[in-house]
Amino acid sequence: MSAGEQVIAALHTAGIPAEAAYPGSKMPDLTAAAARVTEESETDGAVAVAVTLLCPFTMGSTALQSVVENAASALKALGTVRLEAMGFEAKWDCYYRVLRLLIPAAPAFQIKQGTAVIQNALRFTAVQQVDEKNPVALADAPWVITLEEEFSPEGKETVLPGDSFNLTVTRKTGVDIFQTCAWTSVRRVYGRDKMTQVRTGTAKKRIFSAVVG
């Protein structure tokens, strides 16, 4: 999912209609607040995205401020948000404000448990197979998941729940979401220079999304 698509999805979740400015469809006559989203540049591992929030004159500038606050709140989870000065668009008879975001580029490899990034993740394995004693269709069989972490002697650890969570594995080519997970065993190996932790568990379902853009 591209940076612009992430922004549009976040705005839709917040109840704000949004489309890509280019490529995109023609801006309709506005009867309610809306947004147009433009990917501007990519540098130093981050993508700059401009969000122009538009509000018809008939709704007043106060309504625009409410929309801006709602949009900014929805977008903060994606990256750094900066608000630009208020103005107006005579072409569409509307007030507008521009939010600009810097969104970190998709990591080459990242694992999240819920919303928490597992900073010391080394590798992840997922295996799905049918239990011969309790046969079900492969599509319905649970996944056995294994997460390996590596810590330096001074490395900090994050304490996370052991059951009923989602695990998100991000690669440059796609995102896997393992749902309703539970850790069932933990193995630790202590060494002079590092400590390795291996957690094994189960996940009821896997959803895959290819990264576009």
Side-chain angles (χ1 to χ4, degrees):
M1 183 180 290
S2 70
E5 289 169 332
Q6 292 179 58
V7 169
I8 289 171
L11 292 170
H12 284 173
T13 300
I16 302 172
E19 288 196 16
Y22 181 83
S25 59
K26 182 180 178 181
M27 179 68 73
D29 292 332
L30 293 177
T31 57
R36 53 183 183 180
V37 177
T38 308
E39 289 190 34
E40 296 186 323
S41 62
E42 182 173 354
T43 180
D44 296 330
V47 181
V49 180
V51 179
T52 304
L53 296 159
L54 303 150
C55 191
F57 284 152
T58 54
M59 293 181 65
S61 59
T62 302
L64 174 62
Q65 182 59 31
S66 176
V67 172
V68 167
E69 291 173 358
N70 188 17
S73 177
L75 297 174
K76 279 181 180 177
L78 300 180
T80 302
V81 181
R82 186 177 80 248
L83 176 63
E84 296 197 347
M86 182 178 176
F88 68 91
E89 288 277 8
K91 184 177 180 181
W92 291 302
D93 291 330
C94 53
Y95 297 102
Y96 76 94
R97 268 192 171 181
V98 179
L99 296 175
R100 277 192 163 80
L101 290 79
L102 277 177
I103 300 178
F109 176 69
Q110 182 188 78
I111 298 179
K112 287 184 178 180
Q113 182 170 325
T115 59
V117 176
I118 299 177
Q119 300 289 351
N120 301 289
L122 186 62
R123 62 178 59 89
F124 178 81
T125 305
V127 178
Q128 186 182 35
Q129 61 185 21
V130 174
D131 184 349
E132 295 180 358
K133 297 180 180 179
N134 185 26
V136 296
L138 182 60
D140 299 324
W143 290 80
V144 175
I145 56 176
T146 303
L147 173 64
E148 297 180 48
E149 299 167 82
E150 188 175 274
F151 300 90
S152 62
E154 66 279 0
K156 294 182 179 181
E157 301 178 42
T158 302
V159 178
L160 297 169
D163 56 14
S164 199
F165 58 86
N166 288 351
L167 208 63
T168 304
V169 182
T170 300
R171 297 168 291 117
K172 284 197 172 182
T173 55
V175 178
D176 288 283
I177 300 176
F178 292 86
Q179 297 181 324
T180 317
C181 302
W183 297 123
T184 56
S185 69
V186 179
R187 179 169 62 89
R188 288 186 162 203
V189 180
Y190 294 89
R192 179 176 299 177
D193 300 322
K194 63 183 179 181
M195 188 269 285
T196 302
Q197 176 172 276
V198 180
R199 284 189 274 183
T200 302
T202 59
K204 288 187 177 180
K205 187 176 181 181
R206 168 186 172 265
I207 299 173
F208 173 74
S209 298
V211 171
V212 178

